[in-house]
Each structure stands twice: as C-alpha cells, then as structure tokens.
Amino acid sequence: MKNVFGRCCTALAVLVNALPVLSLPQSGNQLTTRQGSNRYVMAHFMVGIVENYTVDDWKVDMELAKETGIDAFALNCASIDSYTDDQLAYAYEAAEATDFKVFISFDFAYWSNGDTARITSIMQTYADHPGQFQYNGAALVSTFVGDSFNWGPVKAAVNHPIFAVPNLQDPNWLANANTDIDGAFSWYAWPTDGGNSIIQGPMTTIWDDRYIRNQHGKVYMAPVSPWFSTHFNTKNWVFICEDLPHLRWQQMLEMQPELIEIISWNDYGESHYIGPYSEAHSDDGSAQWTKDFPHDAWRILSKPYIAAYKAGEKTPTVERDELVYWYRPTPKGVTCSRDPLGPPNGINMLSDSVFVTTLLTEPATLTVMSGSQQPVEVEIDAGIVTTNFTMGVGAQSFSVSRNGQEILGGEGGLDIVDTCDFYNFNVYVGSFA
C-alpha cells in the first residue's frame, strides 16, 4: 500500500489524561443549557478528498443526507489544498439549491493560530450565505482540534454573528476558555482513555459527561460514529466499536445534547463513512479497505434514531420491518501474507462476530447462518435490537420470519474468508427490507 498519512483527521494532537468517572447529569440539568427546542444533526464531510467534485456531486450527497434526517454537512477543510476555496463555493451553491445547509470545520492539523485573517475572510464570505447553517441566529463554525484559536477577532471583523463550537480535546478547557467560544465539539466517539488510545468496549458516555459538566451555559455538540479502523503506515489501528451503530444512538436519545455530529459522511480512510463510496474522491490509499465495502445501510439504522432525537423521544419508532448487518471480511487471527504493516493495533480486543440489527414492527424470529457455523435462531422483540453471532468462514445468510413465514432475508453481500493479502478491519454493511 502507499506510504501515506491519509486525509483523515483523527490523529489527535494531544493525549488527554483520563479523568475520574463521572455520573451522567439528569436530563433536567442538560435542558437548562439548551438554546431553544430545536435539535440538529450534522455529518462530518472531508472536503480534502473531493478535489474533483462538481456541484452535482455535492447535490447527490446532500439529498441522501436530507433523506436520512441530517441537517448539515460540517465541511472539514485544510489550508494547504489549492481547491479548498472552489469546493467550498460548490458546497454552498449546492446547499442553497437543495435546501440543505453546510458550515465550515477548519482542520487545525493544517490551519494555525496565525491564520486569523484568512479564516475571517472565509467566514465573511459565507456567514450570511443562504446555504450556511445558522444556530441561534448566528453562523455555526467548528474545527478539528484548534483548541487555542481565538474566535474573538473573527467575530469582531465579520458582519454577521458567528457561533463558534470548536473541537476541544480537553473538556476541562470548556469551563474556563478565554477564546470567545460558544460551545464545544467532542471527537471521542469511540471507547478511549483519550487521544487515540484504544480500550475495551462497550462505549460509555464518560467523555460526554465531562463536556456537559463543564458547559456553564455553552452548547455541547456530541459525536456519533459507527466504526473506526485505519491502516496507514502512520496510523494503523481499530477501535472497539462493534455494537456502536446502535448503542451510540441510544445514548444520544438518553442524553439529548443540543447538537450531534456524525463522524463521518465520507472519511473512507478511517472507515466510519455512512455516505456512499464515491468514485469521484481522490484515493489516499484507503481504497484498499473501503472499495466494495458499502456502509449505506447504516443510514437505515440512523434514520429512526435521528427522528426520535429531534422529537425529544427516548425510543425510536419503527415504521417497517428491516434488517441491517455488518461484519469483517476475515477472522481476527488470519495472517495476511503481503501486508508490510502488520495487523492493526486493537484487534485482540475484537470479537469474531457478525452483527445484526433488526428494526421490527412486531416480534419475530431471526435466523442467522454464518459460514460453517450451525444456524442460530433467536426470538426478537419489536423495536430496534442488535444481536451478535459467532463468525464462521463462508457465506452469510439472514432470515426474519413471523408466524412461520419469512418476511425478509437473504444472503450477505460478502463471504467471510480465512486468507488475505492485506489486513482489512473495515466492515461490510448490508440490509434487507
């Protein structure tokens, strides 16, 4: 594979020390910080890999996002790309045309505190654009890292109100920040003790609790992500997030944060994309583990949760019977013969499992046959339920029956195998309806 870093943005600049475990604040305490009753869901969009996008390409993605219930794309952009200005213009044009919204997320892996003038110029251009996402009458802006950037001079120079919700790596910074911020966005969407440390799951709300505890009237934008595996020479790991597509959304319904940002729409390098795999993107080497590995079905799972979150409900409503499944292409112990990097960090904490989420209007019977494993039959309640099954090499099949009659199912889109050239801890995601 290529000797590249990848245009991905989650190699955190600092390693935050773990804090004592905090209890989750009661919903009443959280609601005191809410500004209005509206709830919004964003999706992180990597502008740095779409050099060749046209306005029509942007429109396709935006229409799919709208159908899922997503309100805006957070446009992660770098200072070093010659096409940043052009693609921002295309994105805003497409957003206006599709009645969608966008806002800029300055990636401070590339921007610096010395870029105030250019950041101000960009915000002046787009702050009152029809495609700009407005929060409390102000143009939302965010970052990846960039904790110490002072938004005061930008706000003073732009002729439209600015609402700054940057990514803060240390939640304690939120309580006493003197950088004129209005809130904080957390990047801790996977089980971790901080930075890029990998710990055993399941995912908890410990990091969310820390941000919420330090809000003091500011807004919290919580992260939601379905997966994270990457295989570049400079970052080669997998987080333990096997049941995260369901679990994390349920945590959002309990927590009801002011804003949610999905990580991500199209970050193929880190395998947490929920948008379609776009042939128009520039490949940084990640096609090795993402091409022919669709994640679109995770939008099916996300949609009822987004609707419930926006309605302030604690339980999603299922309107039709569906099934979403995901699994890796190989068991974790398989040695890949041609891979110079070796297996990713974290794989020893993974289970060799096939994951199935049922979205059922009434109880039903789920039957899964994973390769050479014997068929397993489970009685499933109505609602959204995730069940895992022991992985077996070979074809994967799924069936949901009710009153003795199959109502949906079929074979999975990828066989699990026990040989490989290169390590791939991404997952194949499919569905039946």
Side-chain angles (χ1 to χ4, degrees):
M1 69 176 292
K2 295 181 181 178
N3 184 27
V4 294
F5 175 78
R7 291 308 306 272
C8 313
C9 53
T10 53
L12 290 176
V14 299
L15 181 63
V16 181
N17 292 326
L19 302 176
V21 176
L22 307 176
S23 61
L24 182 64
Q26 299 300 308
S27 58
N29 292 337
Q30 295 176 44
L31 290 174
T32 61
T33 67
R34 187 181 303 288
Q35 316 242 342
S37 59
N38 289 332
R39 300 167 177 85
Y40 300 99
V41 177
M42 326 300 182
H44 203 77
F45 190 106
M46 300 295 292
V47 177
I49 65 169
V50 296
E51 176 182 2
N52 299 318
Y53 254 40
T54 65
V55 172
D56 285 341
D57 290 323
W58 281 103
K59 288 179 179 178
V60 169
D61 281 341
M62 290 173 178
E63 292 290 359
L64 288 172
K66 282 176 58 180
E67 196 276 333
T68 309
I70 295 168
D71 299 290
F73 283 151
L75 303 176
N76 176 283
C77 62
S79 59
I80 61 172
D81 294 327
S82 61
Y83 47 87
T84 291
D85 290 342
D86 287 342
Q87 287 301 333
L88 290 180
Y90 293 162
Y92 274 91
E93 179 183 344
E96 181 179 5
T98 56
D99 193 26
F100 191 64
K101 301 299 177 186
V102 295
F103 63 95
I104 297 173
S105 179
F106 292 95
D107 191 331
F108 271 78
Y110 305 96
W111 300 87
S112 73
N113 290 350
D115 287 321
T116 298
R118 188 177 173 198
I119 289 172
T120 300
S121 175
I122 292 173
M123 293 307 299
Q124 180 66 40
T125 299
Y126 293 114
D128 62 351
H129 192 284
Q132 166 68 39
F133 182 85
Q134 305 289 339
Y135 188 74
N136 287 351
L140 183 66
V141 63
S142 188
T143 66
F144 173 72
V145 296
D147 311 52
S148 62
F149 182 77
N150 187 359
W151 289 95
V154 179
K155 291 182 175 182
V158 174
N159 296 329
H160 184 86
I162 301 294
F163 199 91
V165 184
N167 166 217
L168 299 185
Q169 298 165 84
D170 183 353
N172 290 326
W173 178 260
L174 179 60
N176 302 302
N178 59 356
T179 51
D180 207 1
I181 63 174
D182 302 288
F185 168 43
S186 164
W187 200 260
Y188 298 119
W190 313 273
T192 181
D193 280 334
N196 292 311
S197 63
I198 303 164
I199 64 173
Q200 188 70 56
M203 180 70 177
T204 71
T205 61
I206 184 171
W207 284 103
D208 305 292
D209 302 344
R210 294 166 181 168
Y211 285 91
I212 291 169
R213 191 174 198 175
N214 286 285
Q215 275 183 289
H216 300 311
K218 294 183 173 66
V219 164
Y220 177 50
M221 183 155 64
V224 169
S225 187
W227 200 257
F228 189 163
S229 63
T230 186
H231 195 56
F232 295 107
N233 65 326
T234 51
K235 52 184 202 177
N236 181 25
W237 62 71
V238 55
F239 278 92
I240 314 308
C241 46
E242 296 159 301
D243 58 354
L244 209 53
H246 173 190
L247 175 62
R248 186 58 176 164
W249 274 118
Q250 190 60 51
Q251 291 173 353
M252 292 299 100
L253 297 193
E254 294 296 325
M255 189 186 312
Q256 291 290 319
E258 291 88 345
L259 301 169
I260 292 174
E261 185 168 320
I262 299 170
I263 306 172
S264 65
W265 183 262
N266 68 335
D267 195 337
Y268 308 117
E270 293 178 351
S271 307
H272 44 54
Y273 51 96
I274 66 167
Y277 185 85
S278 173
E279 295 292 348
H281 88 281
S282 53
D283 180 26
D284 54 8
S286 62
Q288 180 177 288
W289 59 88
T290 56
K291 188 175 176 59
D292 299 323
F293 279 76
H295 287 182
D296 300 80
W298 272 336
R299 298 199 303 275
I300 295 172
L301 176 55
S302 301
K303 186 174 180 177
Y305 278 107
I306 291 174
Y309 161 72
K310 290 184 178 183
E313 298 170 351
K314 296 299 180 70
T315 304
T317 298
V318 175
E319 297 182 346
R320 67 170 185 162
D321 295 316
E322 296 180 277
L323 180 152
V324 177
Y325 64 85
W326 61 96
Y327 52 82
R328 304 190 316 270
T330 58
K332 63 183 179 182
V334 172
T335 299
C336 298
S337 58
R338 295 175 52 201
D339 199 313
L341 301 183
N345 293 329
I347 66 170
N348 290 336
M349 300 183 201
L350 293 172
S351 65
D352 282 335
S353 299
V354 173
F355 289 83
V356 180
T357 295
T358 46
L359 300 86
L360 299 178
T361 57
E362 300 176 33
T365 301
L366 168 64
T367 303
V368 173
M369 184 171 181
S370 180
S372 57
Q373 299 290 331
Q374 292 296 311
V376 178
E377 187 176 284
V378 183
E379 298 302 318
I380 304 293
D381 289 334
I384 302 180
V385 178
T386 296
T387 312
N388 63 311
F389 300 84
T390 300
M391 176 188 293
V393 173
Q396 312 298 303
S397 67
F398 309 88
S399 175
V400 175
S401 59
R402 186 178 291 134
N403 300 323
Q405 183 175 359
E406 184 177 80
I407 59 172
L408 56 88
E411 284 208 357
L414 182 76
D415 287 358
I416 294 174
V417 297
D418 58 2
T419 61
C420 53
D421 291 333
F422 300 97
Y423 289 100
N424 184 352
F425 280 79
N426 190 11
V427 283
Y428 187 100
V429 186
S431 65
F432 300 102

